[in-house]
Amino acid sequence: MRTQVGIVGAGPAGLLLSHLLAQRGISSVVLEKHSRSYVESRVRAGVLEQGTVDTLVEAGAGERLLREGLVHRGIELRYGGAGHRIAFDKLVPGRAITVYGQQEVVKDLIALDPSRVRFEVSGVAVHSLEDSPAITFDGGRVECDFIAGCDGFHGITRPSVPDGVLTTFERAYPFSWLGILARVSPSAEELIYAATPRGFALHSMRSPTISRFYLQVSSADTLESWPADRIWSELRARLETVPGFTLEAGEIIESGITPMRSFVTEPMQYGRLYLAGDAAHIVPPTGAKGLNLAVADVRVLTAALARFYEEGSSDALDAYSADCLQRVWRAQHFSWWMTTLLHTFDTDDPYAQRLQTSYLDYVTSSEAAATTLAENYVGLPYGWGVQ
């Protein structure tokens, strides 16, 4: 088949790109190795920046999001036996975050036009990236003008770039996150980020009846070492640290352990291949930036492709990587900063512990420091950092 843009990967980046391109009259085909049911059920991030919400609404995928998403105008930092609210509504007026599961975003995007997506495609490979790109798969071939690699960190597009072209930057953290989805109403109205000597914990939610929790655990831990009773006991130990707060427990319906790592590849393009989302960068989930960065990448790529087809200019495509990386590195720093601010790194280093407490005190007592956290958390305006 022939199309203008071949997209590998039916995650939020690939699906959103396809719809935004369609709105500009640009044809695309999305190839996905997994089944539709698998893609729609993968539990991932759930915190959407203001700009991400606005983009999804503009793409026509916002009806259910606006109806069911939980709008939050602040978060709580909990440490030292007290809770401290970072008030987005005061510090960054008019901007908020919305809690809405990534799998729900995927469902909404697929429902707009499933005909552009081919699921359960095996043997995908990309070819002739410098001049006449094509995507082959078992039983077929897609010829296109450009290829968008939206197939995640473990996908096939980034490794298809010749050796020596890309430079990678990585950092692995000495712990992981144990995440659970539980059938229980949230015990708080806003997200709670708790820093304790026992380790970090996060109280989040997906709906009025479904809660999401995370625990900092050892990188060597397995799910078998964390039965339900131990999970709830540890969550209580880390979250029930302020007077009057009680954590409600419920049935655990999903669990998993996620390594904490940072990754960036530069540039995010080669020839007529453009990488977006996790295919180009990974951030620790502490800053809630993964999905939001993918959306930002896709916006930049859509505008660049539209300019190429409408004006015949490749200037924006040539600048794609540089434009995206400004925001990527800002998010990398914010995610690293939030991670170091809230996690336990070395219980045998009292100096580091005092530094961490000092910075938490500063963030929760200084309006300037709190504003820095707030404006990064809700998302910097699109176009920030672009020269």
Side-chain angles (χ1 to χ4, degrees):
M1 70 186 88
R2 171 75 196 176
T3 191
Q4 289 172 298
V5 182
I7 302 172
V8 183
L15 293 168
L16 179 60
L17 176 61
S18 180
H19 289 295
L20 293 179
L21 291 175
Q23 290 181 326
R24 304 296 290 265
I26 302 169
S27 64
S28 66
V29 173
V30 184
L31 303 177
E32 169 59 47
K33 68 178 181 179
H34 295 293
S35 67
R36 177 172 177 174
S37 61
Y38 177 87
V39 170
E40 291 183 337
S41 64
R42 284 184 295 188
V43 176
R44 292 292 189 272
V47 175
L48 308 184
E49 294 177 356
Q50 184 68 56
T52 297
V53 172
D54 295 342
T55 300
L56 291 169
V57 171
E58 293 166 7
E63 180 179 351
R64 195 161 64 96
L65 163 61
L66 295 177
R67 185 175 66 249
E68 300 178 11
L70 306 176
V71 178
H72 289 193
R73 294 179 172 83
I75 59 172
E76 179 185 325
L77 300 184
R78 183 172 292 187
Y79 69 99
H84 308 265
R85 185 173 188 260
I86 305 298
F88 303 155
D89 43 5
K90 173 187 175 184
L91 300 167
V92 282
R95 299 180 71 79
I97 56 102
T98 299
V99 176
Y100 189 70
Q102 176 173 310
Q103 71 275 19
E104 304 306 322
V105 172
V106 168
K107 291 176 187 176
D108 295 343
L109 289 169
I110 292 175
L112 288 177
D113 187 355
S115 67
R116 284 198 296 269
V117 188
R118 290 201 170 197
F119 294 101
E120 300 183 79
V121 175
S122 59
V124 176
V126 296
H127 311 273
S128 304
L129 299 178
E130 294 186 6
D131 43 28
S132 303
I135 308 172
T136 58
F137 55 95
D138 292 343
R141 176 184 177 91
V142 178
E143 295 182 349
C144 45
D145 300 327
F146 302 97
I147 296 175
C150 304
D151 50 343
F153 182 78
H154 299 289
I156 60 95
T157 55
R158 189 181 69 251
S160 300
V161 176
D163 292 342
V165 172
L166 304 180
T167 301
T168 59
F169 304 84
E170 298 184 70
R171 169 162 294 184
Y173 295 85
F175 43 74
S176 297
W177 268 18
L178 166 62
I180 67 165
L181 205 62
R183 203 180 306 280
V184 60
S185 297
S187 298
E189 294 183 354
E190 295 179 336
L191 278 70
I192 301 172
Y193 287 77
T196 80
R198 304 176 68 97
F200 168 77
L202 171 61
H203 175 298
S204 183
M205 60 285 293
R206 286 295 179 268
S207 76
T209 58
I210 301 293
S211 296
R212 183 76 162 154
F213 300 95
Y214 296 96
L215 284 169
Q216 176 187 351
V217 300
S218 167
S219 295
D221 278 1
T222 63
L223 287 177
E224 289 71 26
S225 63
W226 283 93
D229 288 347
R230 185 186 179 193
I231 291 173
W232 289 116
S233 175
E234 193 61 30
L235 283 169
R236 289 193 175 98
R238 300 185 194 186
L239 290 168
E240 290 183 347
T241 57
V242 299
F245 179 83
T246 301
L247 180 67
E248 298 295 331
E251 175 194 2
I252 296 177
I253 54 180
E254 184 163 326
S255 61
I257 293 180
T258 302
M260 298 284 280
R261 67 175 183 267
S262 301
F263 173 86
V264 181
T265 188
E266 293 188 7
M268 292 170 52
Q269 60 193 94
Y270 170 73
R272 292 190 164 216
L273 168 68
Y274 297 84
L275 304 174
D278 287 359
H281 41 72
I282 297 285
V283 289
T286 325
K289 292 300 165 206
L291 169 60
N292 296 295
L293 277 180
V295 171
D297 291 346
V298 163
R299 286 178 59 99
V300 175
L301 185 53
T302 298
L305 288 166
R307 185 175 177 190
F308 175 83
Y309 285 112
E310 293 167 5
E311 303 176 16
S313 171
S314 61
D315 290 352
L317 284 170
D318 295 341
Y320 167 74
S321 182
D323 289 348
C324 288
L325 284 168
Q326 291 283 341
R327 192 179 192 90
V328 167
W329 279 111
R330 175 85 298 274
Q332 287 284 338
H333 180 268
F334 178 66
S335 300
W336 166 85
W337 180 77
M338 285 283 284
T339 302
T340 55
L341 181 69
L342 296 164
H343 289 72
T344 300
F345 280 79
D346 187 352
T347 56
D348 296 325
D349 186 353
Y351 179 82
Q353 294 169 29
R354 290 300 184 101
L355 286 180
Q356 186 180 48
T357 301
S358 173
Y359 211 143
L360 281 164
D361 288 341
Y362 176 55
V363 170
T364 56
S365 61
S366 164
E367 183 170 326
T371 300
T372 295
L373 192 160
E375 69 177 1
N376 280 273
Y377 197 94
V378 303
L380 294 166
Y382 290 128
W384 175 91
V386 176
Q387 302 301 315

